[in-house]
Amino acid sequence: AKIQASVLERFIWQGQPRDNGEFMVETIEWMSEKLNLKWPANEIRQAMSKKGTRSSRPRFQGVASKATPAAQPNMLRVLEDMLETRCTLGDPTWTALLATFLQAAGALRLCHIVKESVPVERYQDWMLFFCKKGKRKKNRNGFYWGAPSKTSSGWDWATPFLELYNAKRVSEKGKALMGAIFRADDYEHFTPRSVNVITQAAMQEAVENPEVLGTYSWRRYMPTIALAVGCSKEERLALGDWQDKELLRDVAPITLR
């Protein structure tokens, strides 16, 4: 559909802080290219550049920002490729990249993925997990969440993951309801910081300064994409289970995990 540059510009300007306008333009360019939408991204860049946003920077040359930037679709593809490569080569840290992939898919904190989540059931294209610890002080009950069992290129990560998980489960270090993410050699759990460092290193190919990417960058991925494609506020909140009592006062909770 033909959309005027002014309409897209107004959408970006109203929906994003100034420092994150670059991400929105990048996302629009990516969607326009992949879906052959022919949206006027270049015109948007020129218009927003006059307003002082960072969108005048060269496409995908960096992610400098005062705030932690959200991960971009290009980055997720690089992450998926590195995940497959390291697993295939037998790198014992490949599961750290899996943790980041799961964070992007589930919009969860790393601490809830690494040590608190347990694989429950594998479906044809979906892996179901149970997190033993709720995210809010007023609700510490566990919750179910899930992620695609394959990457966008079709690589099946769930099979080697479950093999590794079961191997630890029957070892001396195994126990019931043990956390999902650990090294493949000594079965020691990663810390969120170590996962982030390993992921930053993997992003060297895609980002000029990957050190600015934090764990929150990947947690924001799906809610930010949802904003870009026009999902409602209720749907965006549900993606990350981020509660807003005023917004959702008259709306039943939505579970999109």
Side-chain angles (χ1 to χ4, degrees):
K2 181 65 175 178
I3 299 180
Q4 295 181 350
S6 59
V7 176
L8 291 173
E9 178 194 347
R10 186 163 56 251
F11 167 74
I12 295 171
W13 192 256
Q14 293 177 351
Q16 287 288 309
R18 294 170 66 90
D19 286 335
N20 287 334
E22 170 68 12
F23 169 76
M24 291 296 295
V25 177
E26 297 285 358
T27 300
I28 288 174
E29 287 182 331
W30 181 84
M31 291 175 60
S32 179
E33 176 185 350
K34 299 298 182 183
L35 302 178
N36 195 29
L37 299 175
K38 298 181 180 180
W39 286 347
N42 289 334
E43 296 179 33
I44 300 170
R45 284 185 175 280
Q46 294 175 3
M48 294 189 70
S49 177
K50 295 177 182 179
K51 292 188 176 183
T53 68
R54 295 179 179 272
S55 60
S56 59
R57 293 175 60 84
R59 185 172 187 265
F60 205 55
Q61 291 301 306
V63 289
S65 171
K66 294 180 181 179
T68 301
Q72 302 172 14
N74 318 56
M75 299 178 189
L76 183 63
R77 184 56 185 269
V78 172
L79 176 70
E80 291 177 337
D81 290 344
M82 291 297 296
L83 170 61
E84 179 179 358
T85 298
R86 293 194 180 185
C87 177
T88 302
L89 295 176
D91 188 324
T93 67
W94 74 272
T95 45
L97 299 183
L98 176 60
T100 301
F101 171 82
L102 293 174
Q103 185 179 35
L108 294 171
R109 294 184 178 91
L110 275 178
C111 60
H112 286 109
I113 296 173
V114 174
K115 291 187 176 181
E116 301 295 339
S117 289
V118 180
V120 176
E121 187 171 356
R122 178 184 181 180
Y123 298 93
Q124 182 175 356
D125 296 309
W126 190 257
M127 176 66 72
L128 180 67
F129 291 87
F130 178 73
C131 183
K132 298 175 288 183
K133 186 177 182 181
K135 301 197 298 182
R136 293 181 297 279
K137 291 182 179 180
K138 295 183 180 180
N139 181 15
R140 289 300 187 184
N141 295 325
F143 58 91
Y144 289 95
W145 63 278
S149 60
K150 298 178 182 178
T151 64
S152 59
S153 65
W155 180 65
D156 170 24
W157 60 264
T159 295
F161 163 72
L162 289 175
E163 290 175 353
L164 176 62
Y165 188 87
N166 291 331
K168 179 179 178 179
R169 183 70 178 79
V170 298
S171 72
E172 294 180 354
K173 294 185 177 181
K175 61 180 180 180
L177 299 179
M178 64 185 189
I181 303 298
F182 45 82
R183 291 178 59 95
D185 50 3
D186 59 11
Y187 298 152
E188 292 296 324
H189 283 283
F190 293 99
T191 64
R193 176 177 172 77
S194 62
V195 169
N196 191 44
V197 170
I198 292 170
T199 302
Q200 287 176 344
M203 289 296 103
Q204 291 286 348
E205 297 181 10
V207 188
E208 189 177 76
N209 46 346
E211 65 277 0
V212 304
L213 288 171
T215 59
Y216 194 56
S217 300
W218 300 97
R219 189 184 175 209
R220 287 173 55 195
Y221 178 79
M222 284 298 293
T224 308
I225 291 293
L227 176 64
V229 299
C231 291
S232 68
K233 291 182 179 180
E234 293 89 345
E235 290 170 329
R236 299 200 308 272
L237 286 169
L239 278 171
D241 196 23
W242 297 338
Q243 300 298 305
D244 185 324
K245 293 181 180 179
E246 290 298 318
L247 177 64
L248 301 180
R249 181 174 50 190
D250 300 320
V251 181
I254 305 172
T255 303
L256 297 181
R257 295 190 185 285

